[in-house]
Amino acid sequence: MTPKAGKAPKAALAPGTEPTAVEFLARLQARQSDVEQAKYQRYFKTGKGNYAEGDFFLGVRMGEVFTLAKEFAAMPPEEIEKLLEQDIHEARAGAVKIMALQTQKKKTTEQRRRNLYEMYLRRHDRINNWDLVDLGAGNVVGGWLMDKPRDPLYGLARSASMWERRTSIVATSAFIREGQLDDTFAIAEILLGDKEDLIHKAVGGWVRDAGRSSRERLLAFLDEHAATMPRTTLRYAIEHLGKEQRAYYLTLKDRVSPG
């Protein structure tokens, strides 16, 4: 799927042009690169039995996808959903990025934010890779729940879907930015026994980020769980601690599981 020689990306949307999924896809296709496609296939685990088995990457740099998303940021929800339905990973990435951009705009109505939140959860079957979750969960899900009960996140944390479980912790980014840390640590506790490495990484990363707002709470969490949490989670969580503190918590882990 290599572009013809001399083929250039289409020009920007004309003023007043309706941003549609069809046009977004045409612009995406014009940026296809076999080199980038090969990189994605190496970077994401798309082989049989892997977490991204069957996911199709067109071969467009994410920076270009995000640039397109900004240009198409006014896309209506029904067109965004058409992008989510695409097999092309970059199309779904563009859709989630557009959703996140819309929720961040002050002029976006509460009804639109609600629609985007509900679409994210309803079409989570299409938000099915770690990068797609990380693009939207904080703004679309966490942003909507900022002034509302957070019960939906606890339901997601107990989901059979790895991607829904990842959303539950990633969504707390919105709360961390406001210094609200309770849900991050509570959901992290629920996920500590998860079997998936991508959940281990997310839990460790978000606990670490919460710890930037409160070192005391991070250390209390580590004092309670360091010995039994997955090693990957621990390494991510202690990343920004001092050398001696990192060594201390790793020692606690080694006492329980020497390997």
Side-chain angles (χ1 to χ4, degrees), residues 144-164:
W144 174 253
L145 295 175
M146 179 61 68
D147 57 354
K148 301 172 184 65
R150 279 80 185 271
D151 304 64
L153 296 184
Y154 292 84
L156 292 173
R158 296 179 172 88
S159 170
S161 165
M162 170 170 63
W163 309 122
E164 291 186 356

Side-chain angles (χ1 to χ4, degrees), residues 79-143:
E79 292 296 315
I80 296 173
E81 188 160 3
K82 290 178 183 177
L83 285 182
L84 285 176
E85 291 170 353
Q86 297 296 313
D87 289 335
I88 298 170
H89 184 96
E90 294 93 329
R92 302 199 307 282
V96 179
K97 183 65 174 180
I98 290 169
M99 294 166 73
L101 289 171
Q102 288 190 15
T103 60
Q104 289 176 286
K105 289 187 176 180
K106 292 183 178 180
K107 65 180 182 181
T108 300
T109 66
E110 282 299 291
Q111 185 58 52
R112 172 62 66 85
R113 288 192 173 91
R114 181 189 184 101
N115 289 345
L116 294 171
Y117 164 78
E118 292 176 346
M119 183 194 302
Y120 183 106
L121 297 185
R122 177 170 51 82
R123 299 312 310 267
H124 216 312
D125 61 315
R126 308 304 296 158
I127 302 172
N128 57 354
N129 213 320
W130 64 266
D131 62 318
L132 304 182
V133 169
D134 294 3
L135 276 174
N139 290 312
V140 181
V141 179

Side-chain angles (χ1 to χ4, degrees), residues 34-86:
D34 288 348
V35 173
E36 292 302 318
Q37 186 179 59
K39 288 180 182 178
Y40 281 134
Q41 289 172 343
R42 290 194 299 269
Y43 185 69
F44 288 91
K45 298 183 183 298
T46 59
K48 186 173 178 58
N50 291 327
Y51 68 80
E53 179 181 352
D55 204 352
F56 174 71
F57 290 84
L58 182 64
V60 181
R61 292 171 62 93
M62 277 300 156
E64 293 188 79
V65 175
F66 298 160
T67 297
L68 274 180
K70 290 177 182 178
E71 187 178 335
F72 284 74
M75 184 179 285
E78 60 271 18
E79 292 296 315
I80 296 173
E81 188 160 3
K82 290 178 183 177
L83 285 182
L84 285 176
E85 291 170 353
Q86 297 296 313

Side-chain angles (χ1 to χ4, degrees), residues 22 35 129 167 185 192 200:
V22 168
V35 173
N129 213 320
T167 284
F185 286 109
L192 280 179
H200 299 170

